[in-house]
Amino acid sequence: MMTFYPDIKLVHVAAAMTSGTLFALRALGLLAGMRWPRAALVRYTSYTIDTVLLTGAMMLLTILPAGLFANGWLVAKIVFVVAYVGLGIAAFRPSWSLGARAGLVTAALLCFLQVYGIARAHDPWGWLLWLVS
Ligand code: HEM
């Protein structure tokens, strides 16, 4: 299974970048008052990308040695993934004012950036490492 590690990781990272880019574009469209971000085709495309992302994540989790996660970076990453998904879902609720929606979108995108930083650094602090070190 380790033979496929580079390919699985490539698929996971590509799906993660596509997922974040699509979320950012949909959120911008929503903030601009457009209707396409809520269209069924766009939503189902987003669910499909996220399924690929999570499948890749589960495969990486299975093939990598547990010691790689010993400093807790994966747990921190999952906490930020959950926050990103939760804030993203909340941002798409119809009831918000423009300001509140913009705040939720910004918070979701900051969580996404932190997920990326944690993954790259293999450290729970992610980008914050620059501040604390
Ligand atoms: C927004 C969601 C996500 C983003 C942006 C993301 C991003 C990334 C990136 C950029 C890498 C490559 C890190 C490197 O260069 O070593 C990576 C690897 C990895 N990710 Fe994710 N990921 C996401 C979700 C998840 C989830 C939900 C899990 C687990 C449940 C997960 C588990 C992993 C694992 C195990 C690796 C392999 C680390 C390694 O090869 O050393 N990811 N992720």
Side-chain angles (χ1 to χ4, degrees):
M1 194 67 173
M2 205 56 177
T3 322
F4 299 111
Y5 167 68
D7 303 298
I8 298 169
K9 185 163 155 177
L10 184 70
V11 170
H12 174 68
V13 175
M17 296 304 101
T18 312
S19 169
T21 305
L22 183 59
F23 171 73
L25 289 174
R26 289 179 71 204
L28 282 177
L30 197 68
L31 290 172
M34 296 172 177
R35 281 170 41 190
W36 69 263
R38 287 201 175 94
L41 180 67
V42 178
R43 277 187 291 122
Y44 287 114
T45 304
S46 162
Y47 300 152
T48 307
I49 295 165
D50 290 348
T51 306
V52 173
L53 190 165
L54 279 179
T55 308
M58 291 306 128
M59 291 172 88
L60 288 169
L61 213 54
T62 320
I63 60 178
L64 289 168
L68 188 72
F69 313 114
N71 71 354
W73 70 267
L74 190 61
V75 175
K77 181 175 158 173
I78 291 170
V79 168
F80 278 99
V81 169
V82 171
Y84 162 62
V85 172
L87 289 162
I89 290 172
F92 273 75
R93 293 239 165 90
S95 48
W96 301 112
S97 66
L98 186 63
R101 198 186 304 286
L104 287 165
V105 167
T106 307
L109 289 174
L110 286 174
C111 286
F112 182 87
L113 278 184
Q114 181 63 349
V115 170
Y116 186 86
I118 291 171
R120 291 293 294 155
H122 283 193
D123 190 290
W125 286 93
W127 299 114
L128 299 177
L129 265 181
W130 282 345
L131 299 179
V132 295
S133 60

